[in-house]
Amino acid sequence: MVTKLSIFILVSLSLFSFGFVASREFGINLNSSASGIEFPQHPSFNVVSSSVNSGCNHVTSTSMLTREEQTSIDSQDKDDFAQSKEAVKFHLRHRSDGKTTEVKDSVFESTSRDLGRIQTLHTRIVEKKNQNSVSRLAKDGEKTVISSQFELSGKLMATLESGVSHGSGEYFMDVFVGTPPKHFSLILDTGSDLNWIQCVPCYDCFEQNGPYYDPKDSTSFTNITCHDPMCHLVSSPDPPQPCKTENQTCPYYYWYGDSSNTTGDFALETFSVNLTTPSGNSEIKKVENVMFGCGHWNRGLFHGAAGLLGLGKGPLSFSSQLQSLYGHSFSYCLVNRNSNSSVSSKLIFGEDKELLKHPNLNFTSLVDGKENPAETFYYVQIKSIIVGDEVLKIPEETWNLSPQGVGGTIIDSGTTLSYFIEPAYEIIKEAFVNKVKGYPLIQDFPILRPCYNVSGVENLELPSFGITFSDGAVWNFPVENYFIKLDPEDIVCLAILGTPNSAMSIIGNYQQQNFHILYDTKRSRLGYAPTKCADA
């Protein structure tokens, strides 16, 4: 039953493991870097911008919040802030486009991509790629206020959908970009910061649904110049492009992995959103001067998306750019990836009053400050793992994050399954094997382990699973969040995999399904509440 896809995945796993061993033991770098890519000479890297208003004026004009106003907002308590501004809610729906993808194939493909992503995230920390943009600004003595004067009230509605129909494990969000606004589907990713879209001219682009974004069709597109302080927020191509003229465009390079990267022009654009007013009416509102990447060279397994919407902690992310409007928190509630396409998930910017009233809302602290060497990722500190009411004998130091960025645990919307470092994963897997009784164990099933034949079983009885954090918080998962059923084989598999010791652990979106997840950066905490997201 090992298909061609399965063989490919197994080879990918072998290469993934070898990559870590080789880089750790022999100093071999198997990851491509910008210096290994030859970028064709194209006009956007050397021409004079057509805008006469490029530069800091985009973020310090009278249409923006002043620094004093921003400081005043930041100093307010969350309850006071919630009274003054309503949260905005995005609907995240599933797509139905006539495609059918078997759960098994979707899981295998997502797992292969996950493994590449984990290696990428680790390398980005170790090699400090796409990191420390704030420190670069401080080093250069530059100060940039990332804010926007734009008052909204009511609920902001958009669409976010599962990528299962594309063989992807991510969730997609529908956005409208430019003037006049045009529709694009972007991958939602809490593990990265840069917002970017495939742009005309596309010199090297992956296949997407619908046309590429064309800056010439938008009257609100403005290039950021290479002399603008905002240009320091992005990593430049390697070697850096010389800044020859005052209005030359700002080139960027954002690295995700060997086959995933984007290069193009850093720019400003208007993002339109569908606002539902308190009266229930729908109207289009615009958020101006959103920083984003106009990508002319884009590679990777993005499965039909037009680009990516970053929700990381860094200053470039969509959530960070909206902080002056909605405060320092956002949340989402993801429905089951394989649920009916008409069922929507939710993404909310600002504090959701209903969530804060949830009787089963729990919080754990985010690892911050010196303990977190990467400004992008949301780290949590695991203390122990519980399987079948038994606290597993995993040394607490197994979960620690080193000052160099090795280890630790992040919560990530862009990774499908959950991944725990060795030897913790082996202990978890062994605990399930010892505790699952009555179902035949499948020995040679590819990728996922353990797997069981549950043919004819109506009510599955499987051990409980939970995570205890260092501050005492406990996250207990329903069985459908850590065991995945693969039809039509009537097989259930543990939806957890392992990574080498040098990598990080990740709580992926499969384990986050039907939990309302709250990211509160002001109070440096992660909230989670069991919720039937289809009804939220």
Side-chain angles (χ1 to χ4, degrees):
M1 53 189 299
V2 179
T3 63
K4 291 182 180 179
L5 174 61
S6 303
I7 295 172
F8 167 75
I9 301 292
L10 291 172
V11 172
S12 298
L13 276 165
S14 301
L15 290 175
F16 169 73
S17 301
F18 171 76
F20 271 104
V21 172
S23 60
R24 183 173 66 249
E25 302 295 338
F26 306 109
I28 298 173
N29 181 11
L30 300 180
N31 296 286
S32 63
S33 64
S35 59
I37 299 176
E38 294 185 6
F39 299 106
Q41 292 295 322
H42 79 104
S44 65
F45 280 170
N46 295 290
V47 299
V48 176
S49 170
S50 60
S51 170
V52 296
N53 295 319
S54 59
C56 291
N57 292 335
H58 288 299
V59 290
T60 57
S61 68
T62 56
S63 65
M64 306 294 180
L65 289 178
T66 65
R67 294 178 184 177
E68 290 76 12
E69 289 172 328
Q70 179 68 48
T71 302
S72 176
I73 288 178
D74 291 343
S75 65
Q76 294 181 46
D77 183 81
K78 70 167 192 170
D79 295 327
D80 295 334
F81 188 84
Q83 293 176 3
S84 63
K85 293 188 178 182
E86 293 287 339
V88 291
K89 180 182 293 185
F90 291 84
H91 279 270
L92 317 178
R93 61 176 170 80
H94 288 253
R95 178 182 310 212
S96 177
D97 55 6
K99 297 181 180 179
T100 58
T101 303
E102 287 190 13
V103 175
K104 182 176 67 174
D105 291 343
S106 176
V107 170
F108 288 174
E109 189 168 349
S110 296
T111 301
S112 178
R113 184 188 180 282
D114 281 351
L115 293 174
R117 178 179 175 84
I118 294 168
Q119 186 175 7
T120 295
L121 297 180
H122 168 77
T123 309
R124 277 167 55 186
I125 294 174
V126 173
E127 297 185 8
K128 294 182 172 56
K129 291 179 182 292
N130 308 331
Q131 300 295 330
N132 302 319
S133 57
V134 173
S135 64
R136 287 202 304 273
L137 285 176
K139 181 178 179 180
D140 295 340
E142 303 284 3
K143 294 183 179 179
T144 302
V145 179
I146 304 171
S147 58
S148 177
Q149 178 64 46
F150 185 66
E151 297 292 335
L152 294 178
S153 61
K155 298 288 186 179
L156 190 64
M157 315 293 286
T159 58
L160 193 131
E161 60 197 30
S162 169
V164 169
S165 63
H166 301 291
S168 169
E170 301 100 342
Y171 285 79
F172 289 13
M173 177 174 163
D174 288 339
V175 296
F176 296 85
V177 181
T179 306
K182 294 187 177 181
H183 167 264
F184 300 94
S185 288
L186 306 182
I187 293 172
L188 201 71
D189 187 9
T190 60
S192 63
D193 297 321
L194 181 69
N195 314 300
W196 60 270
I197 303 175
Q198 295 202 110
C199 280
V200 174
C202 254
Y203 296 103
D204 185 7
C205 291
F206 53 84
E207 184 179 353
Q208 73 176 53
N209 293 328
Y212 300 133
Y213 166 84
D214 191 342
K216 294 180 180 178
D217 293 339
S218 174
T219 60
S220 52
F221 173 85
T222 305
N223 273 311
I224 293 173
T225 68
C226 59
H227 287 293
D228 193 309
M230 285 187 290
C231 190
H232 293 274
L233 290 170
V234 292
S235 298
S236 62
D238 188 8
Q241 300 291 325
C243 195
K244 299 178 181 179
T245 62
E246 186 69 25
N247 289 330
Q248 183 177 319
T249 59
C250 171
Y252 76 88
Y253 174 77
Y254 204 91
W255 182 85
Y256 296 92
D258 284 346
S259 61
S260 300
N261 50 69
T262 175
T263 301
D265 298 314
F266 196 38
L268 300 171
E269 185 55 286
T270 295
F271 281 54
S272 298
V273 290
N274 183 14
L275 175 70
T276 299
T277 64
S279 62
N281 296 323
S282 178
E283 61 178 284
I284 297 295
K285 294 291 185 179
K286 296 179 180 179
V287 180
E288 298 178 344
N289 295 330
V290 174
M291 293 181 290
F292 83 112
C294 184
H296 303 295
W297 295 272
N298 315 290
R299 298 179 180 179
L301 302 176
F302 296 105
H303 292 289
L308 189 143
L309 194 75
L311 293 178
K313 292 175 65 179
L316 289 178
S317 75
F318 195 66
S319 52
S320 294
Q321 294 193 59
L322 292 186
Q323 283 182 359
S324 62
L325 303 176
Y326 306 113
H328 295 255
S329 68
F330 69 92
S331 62
Y332 54 70
C333 198
L334 304 178
V335 300
N336 186 291
R337 293 172 62 239
N338 298 304
S339 61
N340 188 284
S341 61
S342 63
V343 179
S344 4
S345 298
K346 315 297 189 294
L347 171 65
I348 301 169
F349 288 102
E351 291 177 339
D352 188 302
K353 296 178 182 178
E354 294 302 317
L355 173 58
L356 294 176
K357 296 176 183 177
H358 197 293
N360 296 317
L361 175 62
N362 290 296
F363 288 98
T364 187
S365 300
L366 293 171
V367 177
D368 215 343
K370 295 181 180 179
E371 295 83 7
N372 182 354
E375 65 187 14
T376 298
F377 306 124
Y378 298 97
Y379 281 95
V380 291
Q381 183 63 53
I382 292 178
K383 178 182 180 181
S384 59
I385 299 294
I386 305 170
V387 174
D389 297 325
E390 176 190 355
V391 178
L392 303 186
K393 295 180 180 180
I394 302 173
E396 287 189 31
E397 58 268 21
T398 302
W399 307 107
N400 290 345
L401 172 66
S402 76
Q404 294 75 34
V406 174
T409 304
I410 68 170
I411 181 166
D412 181 28
S413 69
T415 303
T416 308
L417 305 184
S418 286
Y419 295 80
F420 296 123
I421 63 170
E422 304 284 1
Y425 166 66
E426 291 297 331
I427 296 174
I428 295 169
K429 183 174 64 174
E430 183 180 0
F432 277 103
V433 171
N434 292 336
K435 292 178 182 295
V436 173
K437 306 296 182 182
Y439 309 128
L441 181 65
I442 299 175
Q443 296 292 344
D444 299 321
F445 197 80
I447 309 302
L448 301 177
R449 294 182 179 85
C451 292
Y452 300 92
N453 186 336
V454 294
S455 178
V457 179
E458 292 185 6
N459 298 313
L460 289 174
E461 295 183 4
L462 296 166
S464 60
F465 174 74
I467 298 174
T468 299
F469 298 101
S470 59
D471 54 10
V474 179
W475 192 347
N476 291 313
F477 299 88
V479 67
E480 58 269 20
N481 282 38
Y482 57 93
F483 267 92
I484 186 168
K485 188 172 184 180
L486 305 178
D487 292 324
E489 290 92 344
D490 286 330
I491 295 172
V492 294
C493 296
L494 182 65
I496 296 172
L497 286 170
T499 64
N501 280 330
S502 59
M504 61 178 64
S505 296
I506 298 179
I507 302 174
N509 65 47
Y510 192 83
Q511 279 63 49
Q512 298 174 45
Q513 293 174 115
N514 285 317
F515 279 92
H516 200 152
I517 311 294
L518 169 64
Y519 297 78
D520 184 348
T521 57
K522 182 176 182 179
R523 295 195 172 188
S524 191
R525 61 183 184 174
L526 176 80
Y528 50 94
T531 306
K532 190 175 181 181
C533 292
D535 298 334

